Coordinates of all heavy atoms in Angstrom, one line a residue:
P436 N 128.2 109.4 68.6 CA 129.4 110.2 68.7 C 130.4 109.6 69.8 O 131.6 109.8 69.7 CB 128.9 111.6 69.1 CG 127.5 111.7 68.5 CD 127.0 110.3 68.7
E437 N 129.9 109.0 70.8 CA 130.7 108.5 71.9 C 131.5 107.3 71.3 O 132.7 107.3 71.6 CB 129.8 108.0 73.0 CG 130.6 107.4 74.1 CD 129.5 106.9 75.3 OE1 128.3 107.2 75.2 OE2 130.1 106.1 76.1
L438 N 130.9 106.4 70.6 CA 131.7 105.3 70.0 C 132.6 105.8 68.9 O 133.7 105.3 68.8 CB 130.6 104.3 69.3 CG 131.3 103.1 68.6 CD1 132.1 102.3 69.7 CD2 130.2 102.2 67.9
E439 N 132.2 106.8 68.1 CA 133.1 107.4 67.1 C 134.4 107.9 67.8 O 135.5 107.7 67.3 CB 132.3 108.5 66.4 CG 133.2 109.0 65.3 CD 132.3 110.0 64.4 OE1 131.5 110.7 65.0 OE2 132.6 110.0 63.1
K440 N 134.1 108.7 68.9 CA 135.3 109.2 69.6 C 136.2 108.1 70.3 O 137.4 108.2 70.1 CB 134.8 110.2 70.7 CG 135.9 110.9 71.5 CD 135.3 111.8 72.6 CE 136.4 112.5 73.4 NZ 135.9 113.4 74.4
F441 N 135.6 107.1 70.8 CA 136.2 106.0 71.4 C 137.2 105.3 70.3 O 138.4 105.1 70.5 CB 135.4 105.0 72.0 CG 136.0 103.8 72.5 CD1 136.7 103.8 73.7 CD2 136.1 102.7 71.7 CE1 137.4 102.7 74.1 CE2 136.8 101.6 72.1 CZ 137.4 101.5 73.3
L442 N 136.6 105.0 69.2 CA 137.3 104.3 68.1 C 138.4 105.1 67.5 O 139.5 104.7 67.2 CB 136.3 103.8 67.0 CG 135.4 102.7 67.5 CD1 134.4 102.3 66.3 CD2 136.2 101.4 67.8
G443 N 138.1 106.5 67.4 CA 139.2 107.3 66.9 C 140.3 107.5 67.8 O 141.5 107.7 67.3
G444 N 140.1 107.3 69.1 CA 141.2 107.6 70.0 C 141.9 106.4 70.6 O 142.9 106.3 71.3
N445 N 141.5 105.2 70.1 CA 142.0 103.9 70.6 C 142.4 102.9 69.6 O 142.6 101.7 69.9 CB 140.9 103.2 71.5 CG 140.7 103.9 72.8 OD1 141.5 103.9 73.7 ND2 139.6 104.6 72.9
T446 N 142.7 103.3 68.4 CA 143.1 102.4 67.4 C 144.5 102.5 66.9 O 145.0 101.8 66.0 CB 142.2 102.5 66.1 OG1 142.3 103.9 65.7 CG2 140.7 102.2 66.4
D447 N 145.3 103.4 67.5 CA 146.8 103.3 67.2 C 147.4 102.0 67.5 O 147.3 101.5 68.6 CB 147.5 104.5 68.0 CG 147.0 105.9 67.5 OD1 146.5 106.0 66.3 OD2 147.3 106.9 68.2
G448 N 148.1 101.5 66.5 CA 148.7 100.2 66.7 C 147.8 99.0 66.7 O 148.2 97.8 66.8
I449 N 146.5 99.3 66.3 CA 145.5 98.2 66.2 C 145.4 97.7 64.8 O 145.2 98.6 63.9 CB 144.2 98.7 66.8 CG1 144.3 99.0 68.3 CG2 143.1 97.6 66.5 CD1 144.7 97.8 69.2
T450 N 145.4 96.4 64.5 CA 145.3 95.9 63.2 C 143.9 95.2 63.0 O 143.4 95.1 61.9 CB 146.4 94.9 62.8 OG1 146.5 93.9 63.8 CG2 147.7 95.6 62.7
D451 N 143.3 94.8 64.1 CA 142.0 94.2 64.1 C 141.1 94.6 65.2 O 141.5 94.8 66.3 CB 142.2 92.6 64.2 CG 143.0 92.0 63.2 OD1 142.6 92.1 62.0 OD2 144.1 91.5 63.4
I452 N 139.9 94.9 64.8 CA 138.8 95.4 65.7 C 137.7 94.4 65.6 O 137.2 94.0 64.6 CB 138.3 96.8 65.3 CG1 139.5 97.8 65.4 CG2 137.1 97.2 66.3 CD1 139.0 99.2 64.9
V453 N 137.3 93.9 66.8 CA 136.1 93.1 66.9 C 135.2 93.8 67.8 O 135.5 94.2 68.9 CB 136.5 91.7 67.6 CG1 135.2 90.9 67.9 CG2 137.5 91.0 66.7
I454 N 133.9 94.1 67.3 CA 133.0 94.7 68.1 C 131.9 93.7 68.5 O 131.2 93.1 67.6 CB 132.3 95.9 67.3 CG1 133.4 96.9 66.9 CG2 131.2 96.5 68.1 CD1 132.9 98.1 66.1
D455 N 131.8 93.4 69.7 CA 130.9 92.5 70.3 C 129.6 93.1 70.6 O 129.5 94.0 71.4 CB 131.4 91.8 71.5 CG 130.6 90.6 72.0 OD1 129.4 90.6 71.8 OD2 131.2 89.7 72.6
M456 N 128.5 92.7 69.9 CA 127.2 93.3 70.0 C 126.2 92.5 70.7 O 125.0 92.6 70.6 CB 126.6 93.6 68.6 CG 127.5 94.6 67.9 SD 126.8 95.0 66.2 CE 127.6 96.5 66.0
T457 N 126.7 91.6 71.7 CA 125.8 90.8 72.4 C 124.7 91.5 73.2 O 123.6 91.1 73.1 CB 126.7 89.9 73.5 OG1 127.7 89.2 72.8 CG2 125.8 89.1 74.3
K458 N 125.0 92.7 73.7 CA 124.1 93.4 74.5 C 123.6 94.7 73.8 O 123.0 95.6 74.4 CB 124.6 93.8 75.9 CG 125.0 92.5 76.7 CD 125.5 92.9 78.1 CE 125.8 91.6 78.9 NZ 126.2 91.9 80.2
L459 N 123.8 94.7 72.5 CA 123.3 95.9 71.7 C 121.9 95.6 71.4 O 121.5 94.6 70.8 CB 124.1 96.2 70.4 CG 123.7 97.3 69.7 CD1 124.1 98.6 70.4 CD2 124.4 97.4 68.2
E460 N 121.0 96.6 71.7 CA 119.5 96.4 71.6 C 119.0 97.1 70.3 O 118.0 96.6 69.7 CB 118.8 97.0 72.8 CG 119.2 96.4 74.1 CD 118.8 97.3 75.3 OE1 118.3 98.4 75.1 OE2 119.1 96.8 76.4
Y461 N 119.7 98.1 69.8 CA 119.1 99.0 68.7 C 120.3 99.6 68.0 O 121.3 100.0 68.7 CB 118.2 100.0 69.3 CG 117.7 100.9 68.3 CD1 116.7 100.7 67.4 CD2 118.2 102.2 68.3 CE1 116.2 101.7 66.6 CE2 117.9 103.2 67.4 CZ 116.9 102.8 66.5 OH 116.4 103.8 65.6
I462 N 120.3 99.8 66.7 CA 121.2 100.7 66.0 C 120.4 101.5 65.1 O 119.4 101.1 64.4 CB 122.2 99.7 65.2 CG1 123.3 100.6 64.7 CG2 121.5 98.9 64.2 CD1 124.5 99.9 64.2
S463 N 120.8 102.8 64.9 CA 120.2 103.7 64.0 C 121.1 104.0 62.9 O 122.3 103.5 62.9 CB 119.9 105.0 64.7 OG 121.0 105.8 65.0
S464 N 120.7 104.8 62.0 CA 121.6 105.3 60.8 C 122.9 105.9 61.3 O 123.9 105.8 60.7 CB 120.8 106.2 59.8 OG 120.3 107.3 60.5
A465 N 122.8 106.7 62.4 CA 123.9 107.3 63.0 C 125.0 106.2 63.5 O 126.2 106.4 63.2 CB 123.6 108.2 64.2
G466 N 124.5 105.2 64.1 CA 125.4 104.1 64.4 C 126.0 103.4 63.2 O 127.2 103.0 63.2
L467 N 125.2 103.2 62.2 CA 125.7 102.5 61.0 C 126.7 103.4 60.3 O 127.8 102.9 59.9 CB 124.5 102.4 59.9 CG 123.4 101.5 60.3 CD1 122.3 101.6 59.3 CD2 123.9 100.0 60.4
R468 N 126.7 104.7 60.4 CA 127.7 105.6 59.9 C 129.0 105.5 60.6 O 130.1 105.4 60.0 CB 127.2 107.1 59.9 CG 128.2 108.1 59.3 CD 127.8 109.5 59.6 NE 127.7 109.8 61.0 CZ 128.7 110.0 61.8 NH1 130.0 109.8 61.4 NH2 128.5 110.3 63.1
V469 N 128.9 105.3 61.9 CA 130.2 105.2 62.7 C 130.9 103.9 62.4 O 132.1 103.8 62.2 CB 129.8 105.2 64.3 CG1 131.0 104.9 65.0 CG2 129.4 106.6 64.6
L470 N 130.1 102.7 62.2 CA 130.6 101.5 61.9 C 131.2 101.5 60.5 O 132.3 100.9 60.2 CB 129.6 100.4 62.0 CG 129.0 100.1 63.3 CD1 127.9 99.0 63.3 CD2 130.1 99.7 64.3
L471 N 130.6 102.1 59.6 CA 131.2 102.3 58.2 C 132.4 103.0 58.2 O 133.4 102.6 57.5 CB 130.1 102.9 57.3 CG 130.4 102.9 55.8 CD1 130.6 101.5 55.2 CD2 129.3 103.5 55.0
A472 N 132.5 104.0 58.9 CA 133.7 104.9 59.0 C 134.8 104.1 59.6 O 136.0 104.2 59.2 CB 133.5 106.1 59.8
A473 N 134.5 103.4 60.7 CA 135.6 102.6 61.3 C 136.1 101.5 60.4 O 137.2 101.2 60.3 CB 135.0 101.9 62.6
H474 N 135.2 100.9 59.7 CA 135.5 99.9 58.7 C 136.5 100.4 57.6 O 137.5 99.8 57.3 CB 134.3 99.3 58.0 CG 134.5 98.4 56.8 ND1 135.2 97.3 56.8 CD2 134.4 98.7 55.5 CE1 135.3 96.7 55.7 NE2 134.8 97.6 54.8
K475 N 136.1 101.6 57.1 CA 136.9 102.3 56.1 C 138.3 102.6 56.6 O 139.3 102.3 55.9 CB 136.2 103.6 55.7 CG 136.5 104.1 54.4 CD 135.7 105.3 54.0 CE 135.9 105.7 52.6 NZ 135.0 106.8 52.2
K476 N 138.4 103.1 57.8 CA 139.7 103.4 58.4 C 140.6 102.2 58.7 O 141.7 102.2 58.3 CB 139.5 104.2 59.7 CG 140.7 104.6 60.4 CD 140.5 105.4 61.7 CE 141.8 105.8 62.3 NZ 141.6 106.4 63.6
I477 N 140.0 101.2 59.3 CA 140.8 100.0 59.7 C 141.1 99.1 58.5 O 142.1 98.4 58.5 CB 140.1 99.2 60.8 CG1 141.1 98.2 61.5 CG2 139.0 98.4 60.3 CD1 142.1 98.9 62.4
S478 N 140.4 99.2 57.5 CA 140.5 98.3 56.3 C 141.9 98.6 55.6 O 142.3 97.8 54.8 CB 139.3 98.3 55.3 OG 139.3 99.6 54.7

């Protein structure tokens, strides 16, 4: 929910989003859902 809120409030005027996962250790289905929603919105 933190990432979802962040992406929802910071994409005005943005045409490209790069998410750097260098230090991401784990992702669950909840994280996958947020990425899919962000992809759908920005696409």
Side-chain angles (χ1 to χ4, degrees):
E437 181 183 349
L438 181 61
E439 184 173 38
K440 182 178 178 182
F441 173 82
L442 291 173
N445 288 288
T446 57
D447 289 341
I449 298 297
T450 55
D451 298 299
I452 299 174
V453 175
I454 300 180
D455 189 331
M456 299 185 157
T457 300
K458 296 182 179 180
L459 184 68
E460 302 163 0
Y461 172 83
I462 189 166
S463 74
S464 60
L467 293 173
R468 183 189 57 76
V469 170
L470 294 177
L471 190 58
H474 167 72
K475 200 171 188 178
K476 181 179 179 184
I477 196 72
S478 67

